Amino acid sequence: MKKGIAALIAALALTSVHAKNISIQIVQNNPAAQDAVCASSWLIEQTILDYFFGTGHIVTNSPVHVSASSADDGLKTALSESAEGGMDYLVRIEVDYKASAQSSNPDAILLENIDRVTWKNYAVKTGLQLSDGSEVIGRVNRQDNNENGVSSFANLVAVKINASLNGR
């Protein structure tokens, strides 16, 4: 019995050594819907949080930051909140929407409404940017222009973010 408990404690200790404390913040840049958080932004956030949690990391999120332009930033607030929460990294993900009539409907979960997703990884203690990346949607097939398509794209982004954080 004592050996089983000791093995469990050792396994938990080893798991926590490899886990990263990551705060996720989504910044929504949608000129057509500046007053509301789009359902696609919520889905991207949830998919990325689920990915990192599923890979054994400790994750939290800040409220989605709705921005009229990428100059409207809120980075200092996100870093401060991440530091208060004991996080090691802040992953700031910008979701850029296309300026179209369809993207003005915040409830529409359509992959074609999104232009690209970019991310920047920050060390919370120093506030320094560690790495970054970007993924462009490109041409959207009809069968991918739905909730599953947005979720699959967000999962791809999460994999790339994770790769950019590895070695940190």
Side-chain angles (χ1 to χ4, degrees):
M1 179 74 169
K2 288 183 181 180
K3 287 183 182 180
I5 293 172
L8 178 62
I9 291 172
L12 289 174
L14 288 174
T15 301
S16 67
V17 169
H18 297 292
K20 293 177 176 72
N21 296 325
I22 303 169
S23 179
I24 306 289
Q25 184 188 34
I26 301 293
V27 177
Q28 175 183 291
N29 298 316
N30 187 350
Q34 296 178 14
D35 298 331
V37 176
C38 294
S40 294
S41 295
W42 290 118
L43 180 59
I44 290 169
E45 178 184 58
Q46 190 59 53
T47 302
I48 292 172
L49 285 168
D50 289 348
Y51 173 86
F52 279 104
F53 182 77
T55 56
H57 300 295
I58 299 165
V59 293
T60 187
N61 63 314
S62 297
V64 173
H65 182 77
V66 177
S67 172
S69 71
S70 57
D72 176 19
D73 117 331
L75 176 60
K76 289 182 182 180
T77 302
L79 282 168
S80 176
E81 290 172 352
S82 297
E84 288 175 15
M87 297 290 109
D88 299 317
Y89 302 99
L90 168 64
V91 178
R92 194 166 154 90
I93 303 163
E94 292 200 26
V95 182
D96 294 321
Y97 287 81
K98 295 176 183 173
S100 68
Q102 283 179 278
S103 65
S104 66
N105 178 0
D107 297 326
I109 303 178
L110 299 172
L111 189 58
E112 71 183 1
N113 287 349
I114 302 167
D115 184 32
R116 68 183 168 152
V117 173
T118 58
W119 62 90
K120 293 179 182 176
N121 303 322
Y122 295 90
V124 171
K125 288 181 183 174
T126 63
L128 296 176
Q129 182 180 327
L130 302 172
S131 57
D132 62 2
S134 180
E135 192 66 32
V136 177
I137 298 290
R139 188 169 185 205
V140 177
N141 294 325
R142 185 178 219 179
Q143 69 269 15
D144 295 329
N145 197 29
N146 54 34
E147 187 174 332
N148 288 336
V150 173
S151 184
S152 293
F153 180 76
N155 197 63
L156 169 70
V157 168
V159 168
K160 291 186 175 196
I161 292 170
N162 193 35
S164 70
L165 281 172
N166 280 342
R168 302 273 176 217

